[in-house]
Amino acid sequence: MTAAALVLAGTRPGGDPFAEGLGVPHKALIELDGMPLLARVVTALRGAGVQRIAVSCDKGPVADLAIALGAEVLAQGRGPSASVGRALDALGTPLLVTTSDHALLEASWVKELIEGTRPDADVSVMLARRDAIERAMEGTKRTYLRFADGQWSGCNLFYLQSPDAAKAIETWAMVEADRKRPWKIAARLGPATLISMLLGRLSLQEGLERLGRRIGISAQLVAASDGLAAVDVDKQADLDAVRELLTRKR
């Protein structure tokens, strides 16, 4: 596999109360089955055949762990989109992007995203349907985007396949700001798109295609075959659920 990978592990302004409550300064250092979350993510990427891995983070224990894992360290930008922009400059494309709190990340999901991306797509993003997520982890609480083809949740897995993917950075920042208010994103694409979404006539892929055309790229949805791909660790309830799931699997 020729793609490089970026793991977003930026520090939130004011710190992370969830991580600090567990006695560590960053979520990436929370241990799950005796292994820090960042190590689990890097291990999955290595298992998918990714040779060059960079971690976007501040100097300190996360950077030290990244280096110990054989990853490069890139200074974080002012927000995830800026960090991705820096990584594109440093690593080029194709570039896979994920997050350090993707506790259950599996190599097969990475391969599924990359292999499921059309050759002509500049950017692809993996999302999972609500029914798949709830089958995989009953009772989990997620933020869902409602479209004509169902309710979807992000998997923190993005594939920037061509240099034109850089055009999406500014839009990424906009999506970051409005990610829990998809109607605002649709409104930015014009009244026709907003009306289609509000009337339940817009599929997720159609929405991505319209967004891509707006910024001059080809954007594609890759639907996750495993609903667990949408599970990350943002709070104690997430960590408890993931630990219970791993205990049942054992």
Side-chain angles (χ1 to χ4, degrees), residues 123-174:
V123 175
S124 62
V125 56
M126 179 172 280
L127 292 98
R129 292 181 184 272
R130 181 170 187 166
D131 55 352
I133 297 169
E134 292 180 344
R135 280 197 307 270
M137 183 175 278
E138 186 176 350
T140 185
K141 296 187 183 298
R142 308 292 307 164
T143 298
Y144 292 101
L145 307 175
R146 296 174 181 269
F147 288 88
D149 51 349
Q151 297 182 45
W152 299 81
S153 186
C155 297
N156 288 342
L157 280 168
F158 309 88
Y159 188 48
L160 313 182
Q161 184 168 240
S162 81
D164 278 349
K167 298 177 183 177
I169 297 301
E170 184 177 342
T171 301
W172 190 323
M174 177 267 289

Coordinates of all heavy atoms in Angstrom, one line a residue, residues 123-174:
V123 N -11.6 12.4 -3.0 CA -11.8 12.3 -1.5 C -12.9 11.2 -1.3 O -13.9 11.2 -2.0 CB -12.2 13.6 -0.8 CG1 -12.5 13.3 0.6 CG2 -11.2 14.6 -1.0
S124 N -12.7 10.3 -0.3 CA -13.8 9.4 0.1 C -13.8 9.5 1.6 O -12.8 9.8 2.3 CB -13.5 8.0 -0.4 OG -12.3 7.5 0.2
V125 N -15.0 9.2 2.1 CA -15.2 9.2 3.6 C -16.1 8.0 3.9 O -17.0 7.6 3.2 CB -15.9 10.5 4.0 CG1 -17.2 10.7 3.2 CG2 -16.2 10.5 5.5
M126 N -15.7 7.3 5.0 CA -16.5 6.2 5.5 C -17.5 6.6 6.6 O -17.1 7.3 7.5 CB -15.5 5.1 6.1 CG -16.2 3.9 6.6 SD -15.1 2.5 7.1 CE -14.7 1.8 5.5
L127 N -18.7 6.2 6.4 CA -19.8 6.4 7.3 C -20.5 5.0 7.5 O -20.4 4.2 6.6 CB -20.8 7.5 6.9 CG -20.2 8.9 6.9 CD1 -19.8 9.3 5.5 CD2 -21.2 9.9 7.5
A128 N -21.2 4.9 8.6 CA -21.9 3.7 8.9 C -23.4 4.0 9.1 O -23.8 5.0 9.7 CB -21.3 3.0 10.2
R129 N -24.2 3.1 8.7 CA -25.7 3.2 8.9 C -26.0 2.9 10.3 O -25.4 2.1 11.0 CB -26.4 2.2 8.0 CG -26.4 2.5 6.5 CD -27.2 1.5 5.7 NE -27.0 1.6 4.3 CZ -27.8 2.4 3.6 NH1 -28.7 3.1 4.1 NH2 -27.6 2.5 2.3
R130 N -27.1 3.6 10.8 CA -27.5 3.4 12.2 C -27.8 2.0 12.5 O -27.5 1.5 13.6 CB -28.7 4.3 12.4 CG -29.2 4.2 13.9 CD -30.3 5.3 14.2 NE -30.6 5.3 15.6 CZ -31.2 6.3 16.2 NH1 -31.6 7.3 15.5 NH2 -31.5 6.3 17.5
D131 N -28.5 1.3 11.6 CA -28.9 -0.1 11.9 C -27.6 -1.0 12.1 O -27.6 -1.9 13.0 CB -29.8 -0.7 10.9 CG -29.3 -0.6 9.5 OD1 -28.3 0.0 9.3 OD2 -29.9 -1.2 8.6
A132 N -26.6 -0.7 11.3 CA -25.4 -1.5 11.4 C -24.7 -1.2 12.7 O -24.1 -2.1 13.4 CB -24.5 -1.2 10.2
I133 N -24.7 0.1 13.1 CA -24.1 0.4 14.4 C -24.8 -0.2 15.6 O -24.1 -0.8 16.5 CB -24.0 2.0 14.6 CG1 -23.2 2.6 13.4 CG2 -23.5 2.4 15.9 CD1 -23.3 4.1 13.3
E134 N -26.1 -0.1 15.6 CA -26.9 -0.7 16.7 C -26.8 -2.2 16.8 O -26.9 -2.8 17.8 CB -28.3 -0.1 16.6 CG -28.3 1.4 16.9 CD -29.7 2.0 16.8 OE1 -30.6 1.3 16.3 OE2 -29.9 3.1 17.3
R135 N -26.7 -2.8 15.6 CA -26.5 -4.3 15.6 C -25.1 -4.6 16.3 O -25.0 -5.6 17.0 CB -26.5 -4.9 14.2 CG -27.9 -5.1 13.7 CD -27.8 -6.0 12.5 NE -26.9 -5.6 11.4 CZ -27.2 -4.8 10.4 NH1 -28.4 -4.3 10.3 NH2 -26.3 -4.5 9.5
A136 N -24.1 -3.8 16.0 CA -22.8 -4.1 16.4 C -22.6 -3.8 17.9 O -21.8 -4.5 18.6 CB -21.7 -3.3 15.6
M137 N -23.2 -2.7 18.4 CA -23.1 -2.3 19.7 C -24.4 -1.7 20.2 O -24.7 -0.5 20.1 CB -22.0 -1.2 19.9 CG -21.7 -0.8 21.4 SD -20.3 0.3 21.5 CE -19.0 -0.9 21.6
E138 N -25.2 -2.6 20.8 CA -26.6 -2.2 21.2 C -26.5 -1.2 22.3 O -25.7 -1.3 23.2 CB -27.3 -3.4 21.7 CG -28.8 -3.2 22.0 CD -29.5 -4.5 22.5 OE1 -28.9 -5.6 22.3 OE2 -30.6 -4.4 22.9
G139 N -27.3 -0.1 22.2 CA -27.4 0.9 23.2 C -26.4 2.1 23.1 O -26.5 3.0 23.8
T140 N -25.5 2.0 22.1 CA -24.6 3.1 21.9 C -25.3 4.3 21.5 O -26.3 4.3 20.7 CB -23.5 2.7 20.9 OG1 -22.5 3.7 20.9 CG2 -24.0 2.5 19.5
K141 N -24.8 5.5 22.0 CA -25.5 6.8 21.6 C -24.5 7.5 20.6 O -23.4 7.7 21.0 CB -25.7 7.6 22.8 CG -26.7 7.0 23.8 CD -27.1 7.9 24.9 CE -28.1 7.2 25.9 NZ -29.3 6.9 25.2
R142 N -25.0 7.8 19.5 CA -24.2 8.5 18.4 C -25.0 9.7 17.9 O -26.2 9.8 18.1 CB -24.0 7.5 17.2 CG -23.4 6.2 17.6 CD -22.0 6.3 18.1 NE -21.1 7.0 17.2 CZ -20.0 7.5 17.5 NH1 -19.5 7.3 18.7 NH2 -19.2 8.1 16.6
T143 N -24.3 10.6 17.2 CA -24.9 11.6 16.5 C -25.1 11.2 15.0 O -24.2 10.7 14.4 CB -24.0 12.9 16.5 OG1 -23.8 13.4 17.8 CG2 -24.6 14.0 15.6
Y144 N -26.4 11.2 14.6 CA -26.7 10.7 13.3 C -27.1 11.8 12.3 O -27.8 12.8 12.7 CB -27.8 9.7 13.4 CG -27.4 8.4 14.1 CD1 -27.8 8.2 15.4 CD2 -26.7 7.4 13.4 CE1 -27.4 7.0 16.0 CE2 -26.3 6.3 14.0 CZ -26.7 6.1 15.4 OH -26.3 4.9 16.0
L145 N -26.7 11.7 11.1 CA -27.2 12.5 10.0 C -28.3 11.9 9.2 O -28.1 10.7 8.8 CB -26.0 12.8 9.0 CG -24.7 13.3 9.7 CD1 -23.6 13.4 8.6 CD2 -24.9 14.7 10.3
R146 N -29.4 12.5 9.1 CA -30.6 12.0 8.4 C -30.6 12.3 6.9 O -30.6 13.5 6.6 CB -31.9 12.5 9.1 CG -32.0 12.1 10.5 CD -33.2 12.7 11.2 NE -33.4 12.3 12.6 CZ -34.1 11.3 13.0 NH1 -34.8 10.5 12.1 NH2 -34.2 11.0 14.3
F147 N -30.7 11.3 6.1 CA -30.8 11.4 4.7 C -31.8 10.5 4.1 O -32.4 9.7 4.9 CB -29.4 11.2 4.0 CG -28.4 12.2 4.2 CD1 -27.6 12.2 5.3 CD2 -28.3 13.3 3.3 CE1 -26.6 13.2 5.6 CE2 -27.3 14.3 3.5 CZ -26.5 14.3 4.7
A148 N -32.1 10.6 2.8 CA -33.2 9.8 2.2 C -32.9 8.3 2.3 O -33.8 7.5 2.4 CB -33.4 10.2 0.8
D149 N -31.6 8.0 2.3 CA -31.2 6.6 2.4 C -30.8 6.1 3.8 O -30.1 5.1 4.0 CB -30.0 6.3 1.4 CG -28.9 7.3 1.6 OD1 -29.0 8.3 2.4 OD2 -27.8 7.0 1.1
G150 N -31.3 6.8 4.8 CA -31.2 6.3 6.2 C -30.4 7.3 7.1 O -30.1 8.5 6.7
Q151 N -30.1 6.9 8.3 CA -29.4 7.7 9.2 C -27.9 7.2 9.3 O -27.7 6.0 9.4 CB -30.0 7.6 10.6 CG -31.4 8.2 10.6 CD -32.0 8.1 12.0 OE1 -31.4 8.4 13.0 NE2 -33.3 7.7 12.1
W152 N -27.0 8.1 9.3 CA -25.6 7.8 9.1 C -24.8 8.4 10.2 O -25.1 9.5 10.7 CB -25.0 8.2 7.8 CG -25.7 7.6 6.6 CD1 -26.8 8.0 6.0 CD2 -25.2 6.5 5.8 NE1 -27.1 7.2 4.9 CE2 -26.1 6.3 4.8 CE3 -24.0 5.7 5.9 CZ2 -25.9 5.3 3.8 CZ3 -23.9 4.7 4.9 CH2 -24.8 4.5 3.9
S153 N -23.7 7.8 10.6 CA -22.7 8.4 11.6 C -21.3 8.2 11.0 O -21.0 7.2 10.4 CB -22.8 7.7 12.9 OG -22.0 8.3 13.9
G154 N -20.5 9.2 11.3 CA -19.1 9.2 10.8 C -18.3 8.2 11.5 O -18.5 7.8 12.6
C155 N -17.2 7.7 10.7 CA -16.3 6.7 11.2 C -14.9 7.2 11.5 O -14.0 6.4 11.7 CB -16.3 5.5 10.2 SG -17.8 4.7 10.0
N156 N -14.7 8.5 11.4 CA -13.4 9.1 11.5 C -12.4 8.5 10.6 O -11.2 8.2 11.0 CB -12.9 9.0 13.0 CG -13.7 10.0 13.9 OD1 -14.3 10.9 13.5 ND2 -13.7 9.7 15.2
L157 N -12.8 8.2 9.4 CA -11.9 7.6 8.4 C -12.1 8.3 7.1 O -13.2 8.3 6.5 CB -12.1 6.1 8.2 CG -11.5 5.2 9.3 CD1 -12.1 3.8 9.2 CD2 -10.0 5.1 9.2
F158 N -11.0 9.0 6.6 CA -11.1 9.8 5.4 C -9.9 9.4 4.5 O -8.8 9.0 5.0 CB -11.0 11.3 5.7 CG -12.0 11.7 6.8 CD1 -11.6 11.7 8.1 CD2 -13.2 12.2 6.4 CE1 -12.5 12.1 9.1 CE2 -14.1 12.7 7.4 CZ -13.7 12.6 8.7
Y159 N -10.2 9.4 3.2 CA -9.1 9.0 2.3 C -8.9 10.1 1.2 O -9.9 10.4 0.5 CB -9.4 7.7 1.6 CG -8.3 7.1 0.7 CD1 -7.0 7.1 1.2 CD2 -8.5 6.7 -0.5 CE1 -6.0 6.5 0.5 CE2 -7.5 6.1 -1.3 CZ -6.2 6.1 -0.8 OH -5.2 5.5 -1.5
L160 N -7.8 10.8 1.3 CA -7.5 11.9 0.4 C -6.7 11.3 -0.7 O -5.4 11.1 -0.5 CB -6.8 13.0 1.1 CG -7.5 13.5 2.4 CD1 -6.7 14.6 3.0 CD2 -8.9 13.8 2.3
Q161 N -7.3 11.0 -1.9 CA -6.6 10.2 -2.9 C -5.8 11.0 -3.9 O -4.8 10.4 -4.4 CB -7.6 9.3 -3.6 CG -7.0 8.3 -4.6 CD -8.0 7.3 -5.1 OE1 -7.9 6.1 -4.9 NE2 -9.1 7.8 -5.7
S162 N -6.2 12.2 -4.2 CA -5.4 12.9 -5.2 C -5.0 14.3 -4.6 O -5.6 14.8 -3.6 CB -6.3 13.1 -6.4 OG -7.2 14.2 -6.2
P163 N -4.1 15.0 -5.3 CA -3.7 16.3 -4.8 C -4.9 17.3 -4.8 O -4.8 18.3 -4.0 CB -2.7 16.7 -5.9 CG -2.1 15.4 -6.4 CD -3.2 14.5 -6.4
D164 N -5.9 17.1 -5.6 CA -7.0 18.0 -5.6 C -7.8 18.0 -4.3 O -8.6 18.8 -4.0 CB -8.0 17.7 -6.7 CG -7.6 18.3 -8.1 OD1 -6.7 19.1 -8.0 OD2 -8.1 17.9 -9.1
A165 N -7.5 16.9 -3.5 CA -8.1 16.8 -2.1 C -7.8 18.1 -1.3 O -8.6 18.4 -0.4 CB -7.7 15.6 -1.4
A166 N -6.7 18.8 -1.6 CA -6.4 20.0 -0.8 C -7.5 21.0 -0.9 O -7.6 21.9 0.0 CB -5.1 20.5 -1.3
K167 N -8.2 21.0 -2.0 CA -9.3 22.0 -2.2 C -10.4 21.8 -1.1 O -11.2 22.7 -0.9 CB -10.0 21.8 -3.6 CG -9.0 22.1 -4.7 CD -9.8 21.8 -6.0 CE -8.9 22.0 -7.3 NZ -9.6 21.7 -8.5
A168 N -10.4 20.7 -0.5 CA -11.5 20.4 0.5 C -11.2 20.9 1.9 O -12.1 20.9 2.8 CB -11.8 18.9 0.6
I169 N -10.0 21.4 2.1 CA -9.6 21.8 3.5 C -10.5 22.9 4.0 O -10.9 22.8 5.2 CB -8.1 22.2 3.5 CG1 -7.2 21.0 3.1 CG2 -7.7 22.7 4.9 CD1 -7.4 19.8 4.0
E170 N -10.7 23.9 3.2 CA -11.6 25.0 3.7 C -13.0 24.5 4.0 O -13.6 24.9 5.1 CB -11.6 26.2 2.7 CG -12.4 27.4 3.2 CD -12.3 28.5 2.2 OE1 -11.5 28.5 1.3 OE2 -13.2 29.4 2.3
T171 N -13.5 23.7 3.2 CA -14.8 23.1 3.4 C -14.8 22.2 4.6 O -15.8 22.2 5.4 CB -15.3 22.3 2.2 OG1 -15.3 23.2 1.0 CG2 -16.7 21.8 2.3
W172 N -13.7 21.5 4.8 CA -13.6 20.7 6.0 C -13.8 21.5 7.3 O -14.5 21.1 8.2 CB -12.3 20.0 6.0 CG -12.1 18.9 7.1 CD1 -12.6 18.9 8.3 CD2 -11.4 17.7 6.9 NE1 -12.2 17.7 9.0 CE2 -11.4 17.0 8.1 CE3 -10.6 17.1 5.8 CZ2 -10.8 15.7 8.3 CZ3 -10.0 15.9 6.0 CH2 -10.1 15.2 7.2
A173 N -13.2 22.7 7.3 CA -13.3 23.5 8.5 C -14.8 23.9 8.7 O -15.3 24.0 9.8 CB -12.5 24.8 8.3
M174 N -15.5 24.2 7.6 CA -16.9 24.6 7.7 C -17.7 23.4 8.2 O -18.6 23.5 9.1 CB -17.4 25.0 6.3 CG -18.9 25.3 6.2 SD -19.9 23.8 5.8 CE -19.5 23.7 4.0

